[in-house]
Amino acid sequence: MRQKIVLLGTGNVATHLFKSIQNTDCFEVIQVYNRHKKGLDFFKNHTDTTTDISQLLPADLYLVSISDDATAKFIAQLPVNSLVAHTSGSVPLQTSQQHNGVFYPLQTFSKEVAVDFSKIPLCVEADSTQSEALLLHLAQVISSKVYRLNTDQRKKLHLAAVFACNFVNHMYALADTICEKHQIPFDILQPLIAETAHKIESHQPAEVQTGPAIRHDQATISAHLQQLHVDNLKEIYTLLTQSIQAQNGSKL
Amino acid sequence: MRQKIVLLGTGNVATHLFKSIQNTDCFEVIQVYNRHKKGLDFFKNHTDTTTDISQLLPADLYLVSISDDATAKFIAQLPVNSLVAHTSGSVPLQTSQQHNGVFYPLQTFSKEVAVDFSKIPLCVEADSTQSEALLLHLAQVISSKVYRLNTDQRKKLHLAAVFACNFVNHMYALADTICEKHQIPFDILQPLIAETAHKIESHQPAEVQTGPAIRHDQATISAHLQQLHVDNLKEIYTLLTQSIQAQNGSKL
């Protein structure tokens, strides 16, 4: 018999999770809850739906996938006894229920774009071995990348992702600004950008650092700084050059 | 009849260019020059080789692929009359020969790793229409990504690449440091890193910026700064957050 899941929330993560769970042999979403009727449109053709928190069906897992800010308060008022897990990277493991867990997929989702969940890292945490086992089982049937991370690790992962993704994208944006200003098509850089991201799948980033900073090529660094006429860019160039050299120096 | 090329230099770029040119119908490397005999080992089974600058064969193009620092001086003393082009991104178009050009492949090369030149951007510059036509022809038969860039644009492209590749790799390295310190496997971030690089193939980077900075999510930004105990990281986090917000603000 398939284990029963009630899904609470109808956003991007919830929608993709729903589709993925319904394809498994071991789990089944038997009900979807949403505060407003509107969000349930897609789901009501596929499963039971409700907007009434007092009408939740009995299940093995209540999976809460709503906005980060609302998660803790919402979980605290859920009238259930089984495991309650949320999907937020930034919300700690809760303590308000009898059984608490976290089921966090680390990826950006758009509703329209199909997602291959098998390649999305799933981070699991729970307050008992039994709850953890259930979440690990669910994670393993929908993804090949499953990790056990505690609340503090999840927090640090979120911070690391700001550097590895948000700040990286801003570096792309600054490069794009430079290109645009000089009528250089940004797509000349695409192969190099793809290669830079690809290289760290098999190497530690610090080991494959290239460029004038790591070579201590002061002539090029000075020439670059002279070409940067916006204070902001000068400052970023200088700080990151120092940081690359410091990181390398600390390994010597 | 195939156009004749003499290749000067035997480094990574020269080796990959050699293999790629020999596969074309329109061009042929008829000789490879190197200062030292040793570098010629690979080439001497495939074409004529020499270590003597006075023994260069007559050709349509002399392609100089040696270290950036040595390029200008080396070209000035070449005893030839045809087009001389170099492969360096950071060296200006020369004026020391009768016919001068640049043939710059924008990619990092390792000798061992096979390179699909058809996907590598080639940037071409020359001091006459005729020379430019020859270089564009050569570029088009070995790559589908051919660009005409002048010396100043090539310089700016190099600067943009520092942001889009060298600094990006350093962001990966900083994320790796955070992960390592908290026993988080860095590869959890791989799918997100790949997605971040992939997204800008079809979107302008500034348009797809995500994260607490662009959302002006001050609670998360403060929480992140509190977790960063190294001054260096705090400073980078603050500066890049401000820069993201300034860039976004300037577009409003």
PDB file of all heavy atoms in Angstrom, chain A residues 107 147 153 156 166 169-170 176 182 190 192 200 204-205 209 227 243, chain B residues 107 147 153 156 166 169-170 176 182 187 190 192 200 204-205 209 227 243:
ATOM      1  N   GLN A 107      16.779  23.971  -5.395  1.00  0.00           N
ATOM      2  CA  GLN A 107      16.765  24.361  -6.797  1.00  0.00           C
ATOM      3  C   GLN A 107      15.777  25.496  -6.956  1.00  0.00           C
ATOM      4  O   GLN A 107      14.887  25.660  -6.115  1.00  0.00           O
ATOM      5  CB  GLN A 107      16.393  23.172  -7.677  1.00  0.00           C
ATOM      6  CG  GLN A 107      16.476  23.384  -9.175  1.00  0.00           C
ATOM      7  CD  GLN A 107      17.858  23.790  -9.687  1.00  0.00           C
ATOM      8  OE1 GLN A 107      18.282  24.922  -9.453  1.00  0.00           O
ATOM      9  NE2 GLN A 107      18.548  22.895 -10.375  1.00  0.00           N
ATOM     10  N   TYR A 147      20.500  14.129   0.787  1.00  0.00           N
ATOM     11  CA  TYR A 147      21.457  14.507   1.811  1.00  0.00           C
ATOM     12  C   TYR A 147      20.753  14.680   3.153  1.00  0.00           C
ATOM     13  O   TYR A 147      19.633  15.191   3.198  1.00  0.00           O
ATOM     14  CB  TYR A 147      22.134  15.846   1.445  1.00  0.00           C
ATOM     15  CG  TYR A 147      22.871  15.810   0.131  1.00  0.00           C
ATOM     16  CD1 TYR A 147      22.212  16.112  -1.058  1.00  0.00           C
ATOM     17  CD2 TYR A 147      24.212  15.463   0.075  1.00  0.00           C
ATOM     18  CE1 TYR A 147      22.883  16.075  -2.277  1.00  0.00           C
ATOM     19  CE2 TYR A 147      24.893  15.433  -1.141  1.00  0.00           C
ATOM     20  CZ  TYR A 147      24.218  15.740  -2.302  1.00  0.00           C
ATOM     21  OH  TYR A 147      24.878  15.707  -3.504  1.00  0.00           O
ATOM     22  N   GLN A 153      23.369  23.383   9.208  1.00  0.00           N
ATOM     23  CA  GLN A 153      23.992  23.126   7.902  1.00  0.00           C
ATOM     24  C   GLN A 153      23.151  23.693   6.760  1.00  0.00           C
ATOM     25  O   GLN A 153      23.670  24.230   5.794  1.00  0.00           O
ATOM     26  CB  GLN A 153      24.186  21.614   7.700  1.00  0.00           C
ATOM     27  CG  GLN A 153      25.304  21.018   8.537  1.00  0.00           C
ATOM     28  CD  GLN A 153      25.372  19.511   8.372  1.00  0.00           C
ATOM     29  OE1 GLN A 153      24.349  18.824   8.426  1.00  0.00           O
ATOM     30  NE2 GLN A 153      26.571  19.003   8.191  1.00  0.00           N
ATOM     31  N   LYS A 156      23.773  27.318   6.505  1.00  0.00           N
ATOM     32  CA  LYS A 156      25.067  27.612   5.867  1.00  0.00           C
ATOM     33  C   LYS A 156      25.027  27.310   4.367  1.00  0.00           C
ATOM     34  O   LYS A 156      25.660  27.987   3.574  1.00  0.00           O
ATOM     35  CB  LYS A 156      26.179  26.762   6.502  1.00  0.00           C
ATOM     36  CG  LYS A 156      26.352  26.940   7.993  1.00  0.00           C
ATOM     37  CD  LYS A 156      26.687  28.365   8.380  1.00  0.00           C
ATOM     38  CE  LYS A 156      27.031  28.433   9.857  1.00  0.00           C
ATOM     39  NZ  LYS A 156      26.789  29.745  10.452  1.00  0.00           N
ATOM     40  N   ASN A 166      23.758  33.560  -6.500  1.00  0.00           N
ATOM     41  CA  ASN A 166      23.322  34.960  -6.605  1.00  0.00           C
ATOM     42  C   ASN A 166      24.491  35.883  -6.961  1.00  0.00           C
ATOM     43  O   ASN A 166      24.379  36.714  -7.864  1.00  0.00           O
ATOM     44  CB  ASN A 166      22.691  35.443  -5.304  1.00  0.00           C
ATOM     45  CG  ASN A 166      21.532  34.589  -4.821  1.00  0.00           C
ATOM     46  OD1 ASN A 166      21.269  34.513  -3.628  1.00  0.00           O
ATOM     47  ND2 ASN A 166      20.852  33.913  -5.744  1.00  0.00           N
ATOM     48  N   ASN A 169      25.765  35.187 -10.483  1.00  0.00           N
ATOM     49  CA  ASN A 169      24.930  35.825 -11.502  1.00  0.00           C
ATOM     50  C   ASN A 169      25.229  37.323 -11.606  1.00  0.00           C
ATOM     51  O   ASN A 169      25.194  37.902 -12.687  1.00  0.00           O
ATOM     52  CB  ASN A 169      23.436  35.615 -11.208  1.00  0.00           C
ATOM     53  CG  ASN A 169      22.565  36.117 -12.343  1.00  0.00           C
ATOM     54  OD1 ASN A 169      22.489  35.500 -13.400  1.00  0.00           O
ATOM     55  ND2 ASN A 169      21.939  37.277 -12.141  1.00  0.00           N
ATOM     56  N   HIS A 170      25.527  37.935 -10.468  1.00  0.00           N
ATOM     57  CA  HIS A 170      25.874  39.361 -10.508  1.00  0.00           C
ATOM     58  C   HIS A 170      27.197  39.582 -11.239  1.00  0.00           C
ATOM     59  O   HIS A 170      27.369  40.591 -11.935  1.00  0.00           O
ATOM     60  CB  HIS A 170      25.920  39.930  -9.090  1.00  0.00           C
ATOM     61  CG  HIS A 170      26.111  41.421  -9.075  1.00  0.00           C
ATOM     62  ND1 HIS A 170      25.282  42.288  -9.769  1.00  0.00           N
ATOM     63  CD2 HIS A 170      27.056  42.210  -8.493  1.00  0.00           C
ATOM     64  CE1 HIS A 170      25.705  43.537  -9.593  1.00  0.00           C
ATOM     65  NE2 HIS A 170      26.782  43.511  -8.831  1.00  0.00           N
ATOM     66  N   ASP A 176      28.400  41.582 -18.399  1.00  0.00           N
ATOM     67  CA  ASP A 176      27.449  41.988 -19.441  1.00  0.00           C
ATOM     68  C   ASP A 176      27.453  43.513 -19.618  1.00  0.00           C
ATOM     69  O   ASP A 176      27.420  44.029 -20.745  1.00  0.00           O
ATOM     70  CB  ASP A 176      26.047  41.493 -19.046  1.00  0.00           C
ATOM     71  CG  ASP A 176      25.007  41.757 -20.127  1.00  0.00           C
ATOM     72  OD1 ASP A 176      25.360  41.698 -21.314  1.00  0.00           O
ATOM     73  OD2 ASP A 176      23.844  42.012 -19.766  1.00  0.00           O
ATOM     74  N   HIS A 182      30.761  48.384 -24.725  1.00  0.00           N
ATOM     75  CA  HIS A 182      31.754  48.405 -25.796  1.00  0.00           C
ATOM     76  C   HIS A 182      31.311  47.614 -27.024  1.00  0.00           C
ATOM     77  O   HIS A 182      32.144  47.161 -27.809  1.00  0.00           O
ATOM     78  CB  HIS A 182      33.087  47.887 -25.259  1.00  0.00           C
ATOM     79  CG  HIS A 182      33.615  48.736 -24.142  1.00  0.00           C
ATOM     80  ND1 HIS A 182      34.315  49.891 -24.358  1.00  0.00           N
ATOM     81  CD2 HIS A 182      33.476  48.624 -22.797  1.00  0.00           C
ATOM     82  CE1 HIS A 182      34.612  50.443 -23.194  1.00  0.00           C
ATOM     83  NE2 HIS A 182      34.112  49.708 -22.222  1.00  0.00           N
ATOM     84  N   GLN A 190      29.935  33.003 -23.395  1.00  0.00           N
ATOM     85  CA  GLN A 190      29.156  31.831 -22.978  1.00  0.00           C
ATOM     86  C   GLN A 190      29.973  30.536 -22.864  1.00  0.00           C
ATOM     87  O   GLN A 190      29.869  29.844 -21.855  1.00  0.00           O
ATOM     88  CB  GLN A 190      27.973  31.602 -23.932  1.00  0.00           C
ATOM     89  CG  GLN A 190      26.858  32.631 -23.807  1.00  0.00           C
ATOM     90  CD  GLN A 190      26.057  32.487 -22.532  1.00  0.00           C
ATOM     91  OE1 GLN A 190      26.353  31.659 -21.690  1.00  0.00           O
ATOM     92  NE2 GLN A 190      25.053  33.311 -22.389  1.00  0.00           N
ATOM     93  N   LEU A 192      33.074  30.056 -22.282  1.00  0.00           N
ATOM     94  CA  LEU A 192      33.986  30.155 -21.152  1.00  0.00           C
ATOM     95  C   LEU A 192      33.225  30.060 -19.820  1.00  0.00           C
ATOM     96  O   LEU A 192      33.682  29.432 -18.858  1.00  0.00           O
ATOM     97  CB  LEU A 192      34.731  31.495 -21.245  1.00  0.00           C
ATOM     98  CG  LEU A 192      36.115  31.589 -20.627  1.00  0.00           C
ATOM     99  CD1 LEU A 192      37.023  30.497 -21.125  1.00  0.00           C
ATOM    100  CD2 LEU A 192      36.737  32.950 -20.940  1.00  0.00           C
ATOM    101  N   ILE A 200      34.281  22.725 -12.185  1.00  0.00           N
ATOM    102  CA  ILE A 200      34.240  22.429 -10.747  1.00  0.00           C
ATOM    103  C   ILE A 200      33.400  21.203 -10.429  1.00  0.00           C
ATOM    104  O   ILE A 200      33.249  20.851  -9.267  1.00  0.00           O
ATOM    105  CB  ILE A 200      33.732  23.640  -9.938  1.00  0.00           C
ATOM    106  CG1 ILE A 200      32.374  24.094 -10.466  1.00  0.00           C
ATOM    107  CG2 ILE A 200      34.736  24.759  -9.960  1.00  0.00           C
ATOM    108  CD1 ILE A 200      31.545  24.734  -9.418  1.00  0.00           C
ATOM    109  N   GLN A 204      38.214  20.924  -7.177  1.00  0.00           N
ATOM    110  CA  GLN A 204      37.916  21.924  -6.154  1.00  0.00           C
ATOM    111  C   GLN A 204      38.132  23.310  -6.763  1.00  0.00           C
ATOM    112  O   GLN A 204      39.155  23.535  -7.430  1.00  0.00           O
ATOM    113  CB  GLN A 204      38.836  21.718  -4.961  1.00  0.00           C
ATOM    114  CG  GLN A 204      38.056  21.431  -3.681  1.00  0.00           C
ATOM    115  CD  GLN A 204      38.912  21.574  -2.466  1.00  0.00           C
ATOM    116  OE1 GLN A 204      40.072  21.168  -2.479  1.00  0.00           O
ATOM    117  NE2 GLN A 204      38.365  22.132  -1.409  1.00  0.00           N
ATOM    118  N   PRO A 205      37.184  24.235  -6.546  1.00  0.00           N
ATOM    119  CA  PRO A 205      37.289  25.549  -7.205  1.00  0.00           C
ATOM    120  C   PRO A 205      38.644  26.232  -6.994  1.00  0.00           C
ATOM    121  O   PRO A 205      39.225  26.748  -7.959  1.00  0.00           O
ATOM    122  CB  PRO A 205      36.159  26.354  -6.559  1.00  0.00           C
ATOM    123  CG  PRO A 205      35.163  25.339  -6.118  1.00  0.00           C
ATOM    124  CD  PRO A 205      35.938  24.114  -5.765  1.00  0.00           C
ATOM    125  N   GLN A 209      41.588  27.908 -10.031  1.00  0.00           N
ATOM    126  CA  GLN A 209      41.517  29.360 -10.183  1.00  0.00           C
ATOM    127  C   GLN A 209      42.492  29.811 -11.264  1.00  0.00           C
ATOM    128  O   GLN A 209      43.648  29.398 -11.268  1.00  0.00           O
ATOM    129  CB  GLN A 209      41.847  30.026  -8.847  1.00  0.00           C
ATOM    130  CG  GLN A 209      41.718  31.538  -8.854  1.00  0.00           C
ATOM    131  CD  GLN A 209      40.260  31.977  -9.039  1.00  0.00           C
ATOM    132  OE1 GLN A 209      39.372  31.533  -8.341  1.00  0.00           O
ATOM    133  NE2 GLN A 209      40.034  32.847 -10.017  1.00  0.00           N
ATOM    134  N   GLN A 227      40.911  50.722 -16.608  1.00  0.00           N
ATOM    135  CA  GLN A 227      39.796  50.699 -17.561  1.00  0.00           C
ATOM    136  C   GLN A 227      38.439  50.767 -16.872  1.00  0.00           C
ATOM    137  O   GLN A 227      37.427  50.948 -17.529  1.00  0.00           O
ATOM    138  CB  GLN A 227      39.845  49.414 -18.386  1.00  0.00           C
ATOM    139  CG  GLN A 227      41.006  49.356 -19.349  1.00  0.00           C
ATOM    140  CD  GLN A 227      41.021  48.016 -20.072  1.00  0.00           C
ATOM    141  OE1 GLN A 227      40.180  47.743 -20.901  1.00  0.00           O
ATOM    142  NE2 GLN A 227      41.974  47.173 -19.722  1.00  0.00           N
ATOM    143  N   SER A 243      41.135  38.927  -2.364  1.00  0.00           N
ATOM    144  CA  SER A 243      40.580  37.727  -1.753  1.00  0.00           C
ATOM    145  C   SER A 243      41.134  36.456  -2.414  1.00  0.00           C
ATOM    146  O   SER A 243      41.442  35.478  -1.742  1.00  0.00           O
ATOM    147  CB  SER A 243      39.051  37.773  -1.848  1.00  0.00           C
ATOM    148  OG  SER A 243      38.475  36.621  -1.279  1.00  0.00           O
TER     149      SER A 243
ATOM    150  N   GLN B 107      39.074  30.813 -25.075  1.00  0.00           N
ATOM    151  CA  GLN B 107      38.776  29.620 -24.281  1.00  0.00           C
ATOM    152  C   GLN B 107      40.041  29.226 -23.546  1.00  0.00           C
ATOM    153  O   GLN B 107      41.133  29.610 -23.949  1.00  0.00           O
ATOM    154  CB  GLN B 107      38.295  28.481 -25.192  1.00  0.00           C
ATOM    155  CG  GLN B 107      37.819  27.221 -24.496  1.00  0.00           C
ATOM    156  CD  GLN B 107      36.677  27.438 -23.527  1.00  0.00           C
ATOM    157  OE1 GLN B 107      36.876  28.005 -22.453  1.00  0.00           O
ATOM    158  NE2 GLN B 107      35.474  26.989 -23.860  1.00  0.00           N
ATOM    159  N   TYR B 147      33.771  36.389 -34.540  1.00  0.00           N
ATOM    160  CA  TYR B 147      33.476  37.784 -34.209  1.00  0.00           C
ATOM    161  C   TYR B 147      34.586  38.685 -34.728  1.00  0.00           C
ATOM    162  O   TYR B 147      35.760  38.320 -34.659  1.00  0.00           O
ATOM    163  CB  TYR B 147      33.366  37.958 -32.688  1.00  0.00           C
ATOM    164  CG  TYR B 147      32.305  37.090 -32.056  1.00  0.00           C
ATOM    165  CD1 TYR B 147      32.605  35.794 -31.633  1.00  0.00           C
ATOM    166  CD2 TYR B 147      31.012  37.560 -31.880  1.00  0.00           C
ATOM    167  CE1 TYR B 147      31.624  34.987 -31.051  1.00  0.00           C
ATOM    168  CE2 TYR B 147      30.032  36.761 -31.301  1.00  0.00           C
ATOM    169  CZ  TYR B 147      30.350  35.483 -30.887  1.00  0.00           C
ATOM    170  OH  TYR B 147      29.382  34.696 -30.323  1.00  0.00           O
ATOM    171  N   GLN B 153      38.136  46.525 -28.020  1.00  0.00           N
ATOM    172  CA  GLN B 153      37.073  45.597 -27.627  1.00  0.00           C
ATOM    173  C   GLN B 153      37.645  44.308 -27.047  1.00  0.00           C
ATOM    174  O   GLN B 153      37.124  43.745 -26.090  1.00  0.00           O
ATOM    175  CB  GLN B 153      36.193  45.257 -28.840  1.00  0.00           C
ATOM    176  CG  GLN B 153      35.284  46.408 -29.258  1.00  0.00           C
ATOM    177  CD  GLN B 153      34.524  46.067 -30.517  1.00  0.00           C
ATOM    178  OE1 GLN B 153      35.087  45.568 -31.486  1.00  0.00           O
ATOM    179  NE2 GLN B 153      33.224  46.329 -30.513  1.00  0.00           N
ATOM    180  N   LYS B 156      38.590  44.916 -23.522  1.00  0.00           N
ATOM    181  CA  LYS B 156      37.415  44.960 -22.641  1.00  0.00           C
ATOM    182  C   LYS B 156      36.830  43.562 -22.453  1.00  0.00           C
ATOM    183  O   LYS B 156      36.316  43.222 -21.380  1.00  0.00           O
ATOM    184  CB  LYS B 156      36.326  45.870 -23.216  1.00  0.00           C
ATOM    185  CG  LYS B 156      36.766  47.290 -23.464  1.00  0.00           C
ATOM    186  CD  LYS B 156      37.192  48.002 -22.213  1.00  0.00           C
ATOM    187  CE  LYS B 156      37.430  49.470 -22.509  1.00  0.00           C
ATOM    188  NZ  LYS B 156      38.397  50.107 -21.607  1.00  0.00           N
ATOM    189  N   ASN B 166      36.981  34.326 -13.857  1.00  0.00           N
ATOM    190  CA  ASN B 166      37.908  34.260 -12.725  1.00  0.00           C
ATOM    191  C   ASN B 166      37.208  34.586 -11.409  1.00  0.00           C
ATOM    192  O   ASN B 166      37.352  33.868 -10.425  1.00  0.00           O
ATOM    193  CB  ASN B 166      39.081  35.228 -12.909  1.00  0.00           C
ATOM    194  CG  ASN B 166      39.842  35.017 -14.202  1.00  0.00           C
ATOM    195  OD1 ASN B 166      40.439  35.953 -14.732  1.00  0.00           O
ATOM    196  ND2 ASN B 166      39.833  33.807 -14.736  1.00  0.00           N
ATOM    197  N   ASN B 169      34.687  31.890 -10.508  1.00  0.00           N
ATOM    198  CA  ASN B 169      35.319  30.719  -9.886  1.00  0.00           C
ATOM    199  C   ASN B 169      35.669  30.998  -8.435  1.00  0.00           C
ATOM    200  O   ASN B 169      35.571  30.110  -7.582  1.00  0.00           O
ATOM    201  CB  ASN B 169      36.576  30.317 -10.660  1.00  0.00           C
ATOM    202  CG  ASN B 169      37.154  29.010 -10.137  1.00  0.00           C
ATOM    203  OD1 ASN B 169      36.600  27.939 -10.382  1.00  0.00           O
ATOM    204  ND2 ASN B 169      38.236  29.100  -9.377  1.00  0.00           N
ATOM    205  N   HIS B 170      36.058  32.238  -8.138  1.00  0.00           N
ATOM    206  CA  HIS B 170      36.361  32.574  -6.748  1.00  0.00           C
ATOM    207  C   HIS B 170      35.100  32.526  -5.877  1.00  0.00           C
ATOM    208  O   HIS B 170      35.161  32.131  -4.713  1.00  0.00           O
ATOM    209  CB  HIS B 170      37.039  33.938  -6.662  1.00  0.00           C
ATOM    210  CG  HIS B 170      37.523  34.264  -5.276  1.00  0.00           C
ATOM    211  ND1 HIS B 170      38.364  33.430  -4.572  1.00  0.00           N
ATOM    212  CD2 HIS B 170      37.259  35.310  -4.444  1.00  0.00           C
ATOM    213  CE1 HIS B 170      38.608  33.955  -3.368  1.00  0.00           C
ATOM    214  NE2 HIS B 170      37.944  35.102  -3.269  1.00  0.00           N
ATOM    215  N   ASP B 176      32.591  26.961  -1.438  1.00  0.00           N
ATOM    216  CA  ASP B 176      33.218  25.693  -1.065  1.00  0.00           C
ATOM    217  C   ASP B 176      33.802  25.781   0.347  1.00  0.00           C
ATOM    218  O   ASP B 176      33.687  24.850   1.149  1.00  0.00           O
ATOM    219  CB  ASP B 176      34.315  25.376  -2.095  1.00  0.00           C
ATOM    220  CG  ASP B 176      34.952  24.013  -1.858  1.00  0.00           C
ATOM    221  OD1 ASP B 176      34.235  23.089  -1.428  1.00  0.00           O
ATOM    222  OD2 ASP B 176      36.161  23.869  -2.117  1.00  0.00           O
ATOM    223  N   HIS B 182      31.436  23.419   7.391  1.00  0.00           N
ATOM    224  CA  HIS B 182      30.256  22.895   8.076  1.00  0.00           C
ATOM    225  C   HIS B 182      29.889  21.493   7.608  1.00  0.00           C
ATOM    226  O   HIS B 182      28.734  21.074   7.727  1.00  0.00           O
ATOM    227  CB  HIS B 182      29.088  23.870   7.879  1.00  0.00           C
ATOM    228  CG  HIS B 182      29.382  25.217   8.451  1.00  0.00           C
ATOM    229  ND1 HIS B 182      29.211  25.511   9.787  1.00  0.00           N
ATOM    230  CD2 HIS B 182      29.886  26.336   7.886  1.00  0.00           C
ATOM    231  CE1 HIS B 182      29.578  26.769  10.004  1.00  0.00           C
ATOM    232  NE2 HIS B 182      29.997  27.285   8.875  1.00  0.00           N
ATOM    233  N   ASP B 187      28.992  19.347  -3.577  1.00  0.00           N
ATOM    234  CA  ASP B 187      28.243  18.956  -4.780  1.00  0.00           C
ATOM    235  C   ASP B 187      26.725  19.126  -4.646  1.00  0.00           C
ATOM    236  O   ASP B 187      26.012  19.031  -5.634  1.00  0.00           O
ATOM    237  CB  ASP B 187      28.628  17.557  -5.281  1.00  0.00           C
ATOM    238  CG  ASP B 187      28.327  16.484  -4.269  1.00  0.00           C
ATOM    239  OD1 ASP B 187      27.771  16.819  -3.210  1.00  0.00           O
ATOM    240  OD2 ASP B 187      28.636  15.313  -4.542  1.00  0.00           O
ATOM    241  N   GLN B 190      25.979  21.852  -6.993  1.00  0.00           N
ATOM    242  CA  GLN B 190      26.265  21.700  -8.430  1.00  0.00           C
ATOM    243  C   GLN B 190      25.058  21.954  -9.347  1.00  0.00           C
ATOM    244  O   GLN B 190      25.181  22.708 -10.317  1.00  0.00           O
ATOM    245  CB  GLN B 190      26.839  20.305  -8.725  1.00  0.00           C
ATOM    246  CG  GLN B 190      28.249  20.089  -8.216  1.00  0.00           C
ATOM    247  CD  GLN B 190      29.290  20.844  -9.018  1.00  0.00           C
ATOM    248  OE1 GLN B 190      28.963  21.595  -9.925  1.00  0.00           O
ATOM    249  NE2 GLN B 190      30.539  20.683  -8.647  1.00  0.00           N
ATOM    250  N   LEU B 192      22.432  23.742  -8.933  1.00  0.00           N
ATOM    251  CA  LEU B 192      22.079  25.153  -8.896  1.00  0.00           C
ATOM    252  C   LEU B 192      23.122  25.992  -9.652  1.00  0.00           C
ATOM    253  O   LEU B 192      22.785  26.950 -10.362  1.00  0.00           O
ATOM    254  CB  LEU B 192      21.996  25.597  -7.428  1.00  0.00           C
ATOM    255  CG  LEU B 192      21.081  26.759  -7.091  1.00  0.00           C
ATOM    256  CD1 LEU B 192      19.677  26.530  -7.594  1.00  0.00           C
ATOM    257  CD2 LEU B 192      21.036  26.951  -5.567  1.00  0.00           C
ATOM    258  N   ILE B 200      21.601  32.083 -18.243  1.00  0.00           N
ATOM    259  CA  ILE B 200      21.995  33.299 -18.967  1.00  0.00           C
ATOM    260  C   ILE B 200      22.288  33.031 -20.439  1.00  0.00           C
ATOM    261  O   ILE B 200      22.651  33.939 -21.173  1.00  0.00           O
ATOM    262  CB  ILE B 200      23.204  33.992 -18.317  1.00  0.00           C
ATOM    263  CG1 ILE B 200      24.356  33.001 -18.184  1.00  0.00           C
ATOM    264  CG2 ILE B 200      22.837  34.590 -16.985  1.00  0.00           C
ATOM    265  CD1 ILE B 200      25.689  33.681 -18.206  1.00  0.00           C
ATOM    266  N   GLN B 204      19.181  37.935 -20.117  1.00  0.00           N
ATOM    267  CA  GLN B 204      20.203  38.871 -19.654  1.00  0.00           C
ATOM    268  C   GLN B 204      20.411  38.641 -18.167  1.00  0.00           C
ATOM    269  O   GLN B 204      19.425  38.529 -17.409  1.00  0.00           O
ATOM    270  CB  GLN B 204      19.728  40.300 -19.910  1.00  0.00           C
ATOM    271  CG  GLN B 204      20.699  41.063 -20.811  1.00  0.00           C
ATOM    272  CD  GLN B 204      20.434  42.537 -20.794  1.00  0.00           C
ATOM    273  OE1 GLN B 204      19.287  42.967 -20.764  1.00  0.00           O
ATOM    274  NE2 GLN B 204      21.484  43.319 -20.815  1.00  0.00           N
ATOM    275  N   PRO B 205      21.677  38.578 -17.723  1.00  0.00           N
ATOM    276  CA  PRO B 205      21.934  38.246 -16.314  1.00  0.00           C
ATOM    277  C   PRO B 205      21.153  39.113 -15.319  1.00  0.00           C
ATOM    278  O   PRO B 205      20.579  38.592 -14.372  1.00  0.00           O
ATOM    279  CB  PRO B 205      23.442  38.462 -16.170  1.00  0.00           C
ATOM    280  CG  PRO B 205      23.994  38.273 -17.541  1.00  0.00           C
ATOM    281  CD  PRO B 205      22.927  38.709 -18.496  1.00  0.00           C
ATOM    282  N   GLN B 209      18.388  37.939 -11.900  1.00  0.00           N
ATOM    283  CA  GLN B 209      19.023  37.997 -10.587  1.00  0.00           C
ATOM    284  C   GLN B 209      18.030  37.528  -9.520  1.00  0.00           C
ATOM    285  O   GLN B 209      16.887  37.958  -9.499  1.00  0.00           O
ATOM    286  CB  GLN B 209      19.475  39.436 -10.299  1.00  0.00           C
ATOM    287  CG  GLN B 209      20.227  39.606  -8.997  1.00  0.00           C
ATOM    288  CD  GLN B 209      21.585  38.900  -9.020  1.00  0.00           C
ATOM    289  OE1 GLN B 209      22.367  39.063  -9.943  1.00  0.00           O
ATOM    290  NE2 GLN B 209      21.841  38.074  -8.024  1.00  0.00           N
ATOM    291  N   GLN B 227      26.572  35.376  10.253  1.00  0.00           N
ATOM    292  CA  GLN B 227      27.190  34.055  10.161  1.00  0.00           C
ATOM    293  C   GLN B 227      28.586  34.090   9.559  1.00  0.00           C
ATOM    294  O   GLN B 227      29.301  33.098   9.594  1.00  0.00           O
ATOM    295  CB  GLN B 227      26.321  33.131   9.290  1.00  0.00           C
ATOM    296  CG  GLN B 227      25.004  32.752   9.927  1.00  0.00           C
ATOM    297  CD  GLN B 227      24.186  31.922   8.959  1.00  0.00           C
ATOM    298  OE1 GLN B 227      24.496  30.771   8.689  1.00  0.00           O
ATOM    299  NE2 GLN B 227      23.139  32.507   8.410  1.00  0.00           N
ATOM    300  N   SER B 243      26.026  46.300  -4.645  1.00  0.00           N
ATOM    301  CA  SER B 243      26.183  46.415  -6.100  1.00  0.00           C
ATOM    302  C   SER B 243      24.958  45.861  -6.829  1.00  0.00           C
ATOM    303  O   SER B 243      24.502  46.435  -7.821  1.00  0.00           O
ATOM    304  CB  SER B 243      27.457  45.675  -6.531  1.00  0.00           C
ATOM    305  OG  SER B 243      27.635  45.752  -7.923  1.00  0.00           O
TER     306      SER B 243
END
